[in-house]
Amino acid sequence: MTHFLDINTTDPADLRGIIDTARAMKTARDGLPKGTPDAEQPLAGHMVALIFEKPSTRTRISFDVGVRQMGGQTMVLSGADMQLGHGETIADTARVLSRYVDLIMIRTFEEQTLLEMAEYASVPVINGLTNRTHPCQIMADIQTYEEHHGPIAGKKVVWSGDGNNVFASFVHAAGQFGFDLTFTGPPTLDPEQVFIDEARAKGAKIEIVRDPVAAMEGADLVVTDTWVSMHDPQSARERRHNQLRPYQINDALMAHAKPDALFMHCLPAHRDEEVTSAVMDGPQSVIFDEAENRLHAQKAIMRYCLGR
Ligand code: CP
Ligand code: NVA
């Protein structure tokens, strides 16, 4: 069973294959109306369940459109409306869904839910975000970086802000794709050490630099994300904002990165909180290419999972 659960648990050659497939599939449908079927229909006859236990705009729509372009059918399900949200076990849900659909994508809270779904499903399972990681996003981000500036290997990526789930998948990717990664943020919001230790063991250069100006030195790519994630308690909002304010990406901070550095954000963004509108809408920002590439990267991930 080929699941796509995380970047660190997917073979580096397979990850590279996914990026190459995503780029080729994007090129092949350049300029076509969004609803045009792909020339190849690798998901013809396939049914895909998209389960959301948290809100989503990009993940929901890009998976749905991607499946349809490849000839498959989707059902978008809210976890709260399923028996899953009313006490049915994840294991039983996984076994039942496997009788109806060919592929499951789930966005959930606890990583354990994803892992149990994958353990008991007899069809592939894709991680559409958990409290700990967001691998589909970072595959799209790598595709986006490489479209603009070529191979990411050996480049310097700087993450400013909360060491959250999206950052964790960047740490995984640093180990697998061989780029350098610097985290700048307050010590209370550091990423889990286990992510960093594992990426370092794979040879990645991961640094933690408290001073955001120093961190930006030589950056090829600058990334941030919301200061309060969906799984964070709203009661932490004010404290987080106070701690993270020095790490806002603005023109003054971007000026310390390389002049041609790119800016990325997985979106949704909180304009003028973690990043200024001037940077989001400025010439270095590739945020809408990132959002588009969710579609192409995930189509390639689904083909990989289904061996098609
Ligand atoms: N970046 C991302 O996953 O966006 P959504 O929450 O809208 O799916
Ligand atoms: N870190 C954010 C990412 C949203 C796509 C969250 O988990 O809410």
Side-chain angles (χ1 to χ4, degrees), residues 138 152 154-160 163-164 166-176 178-184 191 195-196 199-200 203-209 215 219-223:
I138 278 45
I152 196 162
K155 295 290 164 57
K156 178 176 173 177
V157 178
V158 177
W159 176 282
S160 183
N164 65 12
V166 178
F167 179 66
S169 287
F170 258 113
V171 178
H172 285 159
Q176 301 288 62
F179 56 84
D180 298 343
L181 184 59
T182 296
F183 171 80
T184 185
F195 292 127
I196 293 184
R200 282 182 178 153
K205 186 176 156 206
I206 315 267
E207 288 187 327
I208 296 186
V209 178
D220 297 287
L221 169 62
V222 176
V223 196

Side-chain angles (χ1 to χ4, degrees), residues 79-89:
D81 294 339
M82 296 170 69
Q83 298 292 9
L84 181 63
H86 300 275
E88 186 166 22
T89 66

